[in-house]
Amino acid sequence: MKSLQSKMAILLLCLSLFIPTLASAHQVDTNGAAPDLRVSLGQLLGEHALLAVVAMQKGYDGAADFADTAAALGKNTDDLSAAIASVYGKAAGEAFKPIWSSHIGYFVDYVKATAAKDEAGRQQAIAALEDYRMKQAEFFHSANPAYFETAAIAGGLKMHINHLLEAFDSYVNKDYTNAYLDLRTAYAHMFMTADTLAAGIEAQFPDQFPAGTVKSPGIDLRAGLGQLLGEHASLAVLVMQKGIDGAPDFTAAAGALNSNTADLSAAIASVYGKEAGAAFQTVWSSHIGYFVDYVTATGAKNEAGRQQAVARLEDYRMKQAEFFHSANPANFDTAAIAAGLKVHIDHLLSAFGSYVNKDFTGAYTYERTAYAHMFATASGLTGGIVAQFPDKFHGKAAAPAVHSISLKVGSPALTINDKTTQMDVAPLNKNGSIFIPLRYLGEAIGAEVSWDQAKQTVSVQTDGNTAVFRAGQSYMELNGQRKDIGSPVFLKNDRVQVPLRFIAELLGWDVQWTPASGAINLTKTMAPDMKMEMDHAH
């Protein structure tokens, strides 16, 4: 087993720039081999998804920076292969790289065939991707046969492939809103993939990754903040490119960046309360606006406007730093945080300046640096928050107290209490009944959900009870007793979809469904007791 320290060196350097006062303390539960593995895998896999979608867009458009976007994606592959090698050895890293690289090539083939209106070529690319995912799944199974099941890994890769193809197809069809919704879904899914891989590796190598160290409330916070902050940086770079190019998808790309801001504000609110979340959103949103002002002034060759935007960004970073210091005066130093925000601002301006000057290699070097810096920022913020609230964030993960769950037909957004995440399959209306992905609802309330590929069954365990659903069947079994559901469950994008009202009542939740908007609200009125609730189910 090789150390991941070399892979994290640049992140630790950036961290020292961001919040030096946290470099030596308060990260007992959030740093170490297992947390670093989980976060590093999420960072690299998430970056792969973002760069892949952008590269497909650039390839289809025949953009001048396509080759440099593809080169950045290739460097991400190098880093991901090195991460695999750090766990399984040099030979495994070398075996992983050509397999992983192949699916990037097949996506390029799909883009070229689409541009040429070559349907046969598109289908050939899809078939090649199918072959790839089985080879990739077998690679992981061979590396970790006890914990990585080939069919399960292949199912996850199928979702990844579908996410990227859907994001690209929506872009080609000028459905830009869904294109960026699909991009965010693809990105979020990679972090779930990273969690699965990290958990399997932890179980496989307990000496290097002690049991229970890959996941805790503090580590979850670090991973979640990294995911959102990294997404912010990459989307901001892309939005600035789209803005200066006058691209038709600028508004949709900016909308995705605003959605990221809303999610990040909800994360802050989950720690410091709703008022703090709202205050954060106002300050954070302002710097996005100033970047847009900078882009607009650049396009108009208005140097005074550019300098005004830079001055406003300077004012922003001091306000943002003061926000964090006020929230956590003992652990967040205003000057240190302001310095870290200066690094962030400089990264984005440098990436944009290089792009405008057609130095595309420099543009994507800065883009990757800006993305990586955000994960170091997340580590710093997490350290301060854990030190501030040790009772809340130290120790092993426990299921949070969930009081409300909100979903919407056609939207992958899932809001649990006040925190919004992205599912990879949206709820849908089928024959007048609302169906939702069972895994997300079950895990949202702290149930254990498992899928048996051979039997095509999904099991939900909570409070000592076990519910088993079978794909294609309109019945389920509760502790071995068959119960009628009313409508057959089915698979969509490899997720089991179940009737909303049945599963909600089964788990002890009240349902409010608004047909006009498609909004679904679940509220908890009593502790779940599946045996009791079954008496009232359909």
Side-chain angles (χ1 to χ4, degrees):
M1 173 77 61
K2 295 183 178 180
S3 171
L4 287 173
Q5 289 180 345
S6 62
K7 296 298 299 173
M8 297 298 292
I10 188 171
L11 297 185
L12 293 174
L13 173 61
C14 291
L15 174 58
S16 68
L17 291 172
F18 183 72
I19 306 179
T21 57
L22 298 180
S24 61
H26 307 315
Q27 300 221 13
V28 175
D29 291 333
T30 59
N31 284 340
D36 289 352
L37 173 69
R38 175 184 171 188
V39 171
S40 295
L41 287 175
Q43 175 185 337
L44 292 171
L45 288 169
E47 184 184 42
H48 161 79
L50 291 174
L51 287 174
V53 170
V54 174
M56 293 172 79
Q57 290 184 4
K58 303 281 188 176
Y60 181 77
D61 292 339
D65 59 325
F66 165 70
D68 296 278
T69 311
L73 186 56
K75 290 177 181 177
N76 169 270
T77 296
D78 292 341
D79 292 344
L80 188 55
S81 301
I84 296 297
S86 73
V87 174
Y88 291 112
K90 183 177 180 181
E94 291 174 347
F96 169 86
K97 186 173 180 178
I99 299 174
W100 185 260
S101 296
S102 72
H103 93 295
I104 297 173
Y106 300 144
F107 281 123
V108 173
D109 293 341
Y110 186 89
V111 171
K112 291 179 178 178
T114 300
K117 295 181 168 45
D118 176 8
E119 185 58 30
R122 281 163 47 101
Q123 294 305 317
Q124 185 177 24
I126 290 173
L129 286 166
E130 281 293 297
D131 180 63
Y132 149 76
R133 73 183 182 97
M134 298 312 299
K135 289 180 180 177
Q136 190 74 84
E138 185 54 38
F139 168 87
F140 281 111
H141 175 68
S142 297
N144 191 347
Y147 298 99
F148 292 153
E149 181 188 1
T150 302
I153 296 287
L157 289 167
K158 178 68 171 178
M159 292 180 197
H160 169 59
I161 290 168
N162 286 343
H163 290 155
L164 297 195
L165 292 181
E166 288 166 2
F168 175 69
D169 288 343
S170 294
Y171 182 80
V172 170
N173 294 327
K174 303 187 188 308
D175 180 5
Y176 300 128
T177 298
N178 276 325
Y180 285 96
L181 188 62
D182 292 335
L183 180 151
R184 295 200 71 209
T185 301
Y187 177 74
H189 177 251
M190 287 290 92
F191 286 84
M192 291 185 280
T193 300
D195 291 352
T196 298
L197 293 176
I201 292 169
E202 177 190 56
Q204 185 179 14
F205 300 112
D207 291 341
Q208 290 81 3
F209 306 103
T213 59
V214 78
K215 186 174 178 63
S216 75
I219 297 166
D220 289 348
L221 177 68
R222 177 185 168 189
L225 287 176
Q227 176 182 337
L228 291 172
L229 289 169
E231 184 183 42
H232 160 79
S234 287
L235 284 176
V237 169
L238 185 60
V239 167
M240 293 173 81
Q241 291 182 4
K242 298 288 184 178
I244 197 67
D245 291 342
D249 56 324
F250 167 75
T251 299
L257 183 56
N258 289 337
S259 294
N260 167 272
T261 294
D263 292 343
L264 188 55
S265 301
I268 296 298
S270 72
V271 176
Y272 292 113
K274 282 188 176 182
E275 289 187 8
F280 169 86
Q281 185 162 356
T282 298
V283 179
W284 185 261
S285 295
S286 72
H287 93 295
I288 296 173
Y290 301 147
F291 280 123
V292 173
D293 292 342
Y294 187 89
V295 171
T296 301
T298 300
K301 294 181 170 42
N302 177 5
E303 184 58 28
R306 281 161 48 99
Q307 293 306 315
Q308 184 179 47
V310 170
R312 287 174 173 171
L313 285 167
E314 281 293 297
D315 181 64
Y316 149 76
R317 72 184 181 95
M318 298 311 299
K319 288 180 179 177
Q320 190 73 85
E322 184 55 37
F323 168 87
F324 281 112
H325 174 69
S326 297
N328 190 347
N331 298 287
F332 291 155
D333 178 71
T334 303
I337 292 183
L341 289 167
K342 176 66 172 175
V343 173
H344 169 61
I345 290 168
D346 288 347
H347 286 159
L348 297 195
L349 292 181
S350 296
F352 176 69
S354 296
Y355 183 81
V356 170
N357 293 326
K358 302 189 186 307
D359 174 13
F360 300 129
T361 299
Y364 287 99
T365 298
Y366 281 119
E367 190 277 341
R368 293 200 72 210
T369 302
Y371 176 81
H373 177 250
M374 289 290 93
F375 286 83
T377 298
S379 294
L381 290 175
T382 300
I385 292 169
V386 167
Q388 185 179 16
F389 303 110
D391 293 340
K392 182 175 182 179
F393 289 103
H394 283 178
K396 295 184 178 181
V402 179
H403 308 294
S404 64
I405 301 173
S406 299
L407 312 92
K408 188 174 182 179
V409 171
S411 170
L414 171 67
T415 301
I416 302 170
N417 293 341
D418 294 318
K419 183 177 181 180
T420 301
T421 59
Q422 298 291 314
M423 303 181 289
D424 50 33
V425 179
L428 56 88
N429 190 331
K430 183 177 182 180
N431 299 326
S433 296
I434 305 303
F435 286 80
I436 60 173
L438 178 59
R439 176 172 293 278
Y440 287 101
L441 180 61
E443 292 183 346
I445 64 166
E448 182 178 343
V449 183
S450 58
W451 167 252
D452 188 318
Q453 176 70 19
K455 296 179 181 179
Q456 294 283 286
T457 61
V458 61
S459 299
V460 181
Q461 294 181 314
T462 182
D463 294 337
N465 299 282
T466 301
V468 179
F469 296 82
R470 288 177 170 78
Q473 299 297 326
S474 58
Y475 67 88
M476 55 81 69
E477 294 179 359
L478 177 64
N479 298 325
Q481 183 179 1
R482 181 176 292 196
K483 302 290 182 180
D484 181 48
I485 298 175
S487 300
V489 303
F490 60 91
L491 291 173
K492 179 177 173 60
N493 292 343
D494 294 322
R495 290 293 190 203
V496 174
Q497 299 273 342
V498 298
L500 166 66
R501 191 164 298 278
F502 177 86
I503 188 61
E505 291 181 355
L506 175 71
L507 297 174
W509 289 76
D510 293 326
V511 181
Q512 288 185 330
W513 151 241
T514 307
S517 64
I520 303 163
N521 293 301
L522 307 178
T523 54
K524 189 66 176 173
T525 56
M526 63 183 70
D529 185 333
M530 294 175 64
K531 291 180 179 178
M532 289 178 58
E533 293 297 334
M534 277 306 305
D535 294 336
H536 303 290
H538 298 302

